Amino acid sequence: EAGVAQSPRYKIIEKRQSVAFWCNPISGHATLYWYQQILGQGPKLLIQFQNNGVVDDSQLPKDRFSAERLKGVDSTLKIQPAKLEDSAVYLCASSLEGGRGVVQYFGAGTRLSVL
Amino acid sequence: AQSVSQHNHHVILSEAASLELGCNYSYGGTVNLFWYVQYPGQHLQLLLKYFSGDPLVKGIKGFEAEFIKSKFSFNLRKPSVQWSDTAEYFCAVKKNQAGTALIFGKGTTLSVSS
């Protein structure tokens, strides 16, 4: 079974530039999550989708971050403009659904360096 | 706000030593509990989980964890570690409600010397 796919694996940009990350969840998984993992910290949820609807985006810095999951499958996370403090690993995860007693499966992540 | 504390930032052990990594959480209601592991250069993988029932759960590679509700703890154990257990370990907690977030601890780096 294919896992959660993410691209690119690495990205280096200068501050104030824009960047986009792509995620393809495990087939059949209705719920998709984007996390930010800063060095030395655990992953922090940015946004959760159930199919193509947003369930929780309370931790998403909406002035610069946006995410979409238009057809309920793939998702894109965008940062515009990037700041130095956005340097982190961006993880995508998926689960069958977002309710109780579910397991989230993680992709390899995109490591972003903002210079 | 809900939080997860992992007591040890970096643990160094010799092969065959016993391991216990502490995890405490702050939410008082029903929770789902997880330990994830990240081996060098790999993605986060589920080690074990607790949803309900027997508070002693067994996971992959000989790991186990015990849920102690009165102590809000979910400590990870392994009786004899191997060099291949060198990795970062994350405890994570989720309220047992739809639409709630999975909250991670800061992680514990385990280094096992052969």
Side-chain angles (χ1 to χ4, degrees):
Chain A
E1 180 185 90
V4 177
Q6 290 188 248
S7 67
R9 288 296 311 276
Y10 306 92
K11 191 73 177 179
I12 302 173
I13 62 173
E14 295 187 349
K15 60 183 179 184
R16 291 188 290 273
Q17 286 187 322
S18 63
V19 64
F21 314 125
W22 174 82
C23 172
N24 183 246
I26 292 172
S27 177
H29 281 195
T31 308
L32 185 146
Y33 315 80
W34 283 103
Y35 289 84
Q36 180 191 58
Q37 186 177 13
I38 293 172
L39 188 65
Q41 305 284 324
K44 182 185 82 171
L45 180 69
L46 292 175
I47 189 168
Q48 176 182 341
F49 290 95
Q50 179 74 18
N51 296 308
N52 60 349
V54 175
V55 174
D56 181 1
D57 63 356
S58 57
Q59 299 295 307
L60 188 73
K62 298 180 187 65
D63 58 333
R64 298 183 301 106
F65 286 64
S66 64
E68 59 184 15
R69 194 184 184 201
L70 292 175
K71 295 183 179 180
V73 181
D74 293 10
S75 178
T76 303
L77 176 69
K78 296 179 182 178
I79 308 175
Q80 183 179 11
K83 293 185 175 181
L84 296 176
E85 59 260 36
D86 298 331
S87 294
V89 176
Y90 291 85
L91 298 168
C92 181
S94 70
S95 62
L96 277 171
E97 41 91 17
R100 297 172 286 181
V102 295
V103 175
Q104 296 182 25
Y105 297 89
F106 286 81
T110 297
R111 184 176 298 276
L112 174 67
S113 296
V114 182
L115 307 178
Chain B
Q2 191 178 0
S3 65
V4 178
S5 297
Q6 291 185 240
H7 312 304
N8 313 99
H9 180 63
H10 193 179
V11 173
I12 302 171
L13 296 173
S14 300
E15 275 194 316
S18 64
L19 170 71
E20 181 161 2
L21 301 182
C23 174
N24 286 89
Y25 61 94
S26 62
Y27 180 62
T30 304
V31 291
N32 299 155
L33 300 161
F34 306 82
W35 277 97
Y36 281 86
V37 60
Q38 188 166 25
Y39 298 103
Q42 297 187 28
H43 62 280
L44 275 169
Q45 302 171 40
L46 182 69
L47 201 53
L48 47 77
K49 64 186 185 296
Y50 172 81
F51 293 155
S52 64
D54 188 345
L56 183 63
V57 293
K58 296 189 184 300
I60 59 172
K61 303 186 181 185
F63 286 89
E64 66 178 31
E66 184 175 14
F67 170 48
I68 303 179
K69 188 174 182 179
S70 61
K71 294 185 178 180
F72 301 91
S73 70
F74 189 55
N75 292 353
L76 181 71
R77 299 194 293 248
K78 185 171 184 179
S80 177
V81 295
Q82 300 174 315
W83 177 81
S84 58
D85 293 325
T86 295
E88 191 155 18
Y89 293 81
F90 292 93
C91 179
V93 178
K94 182 183 180 304
K95 294 180 186 179
N96 193 30
Q97 298 171 16
T100 56
L102 184 62
I103 308 298
F104 283 83
K106 291 186 176 182
T108 297
T109 301
L110 172 65
S111 299
V112 180
S113 58
S114 57

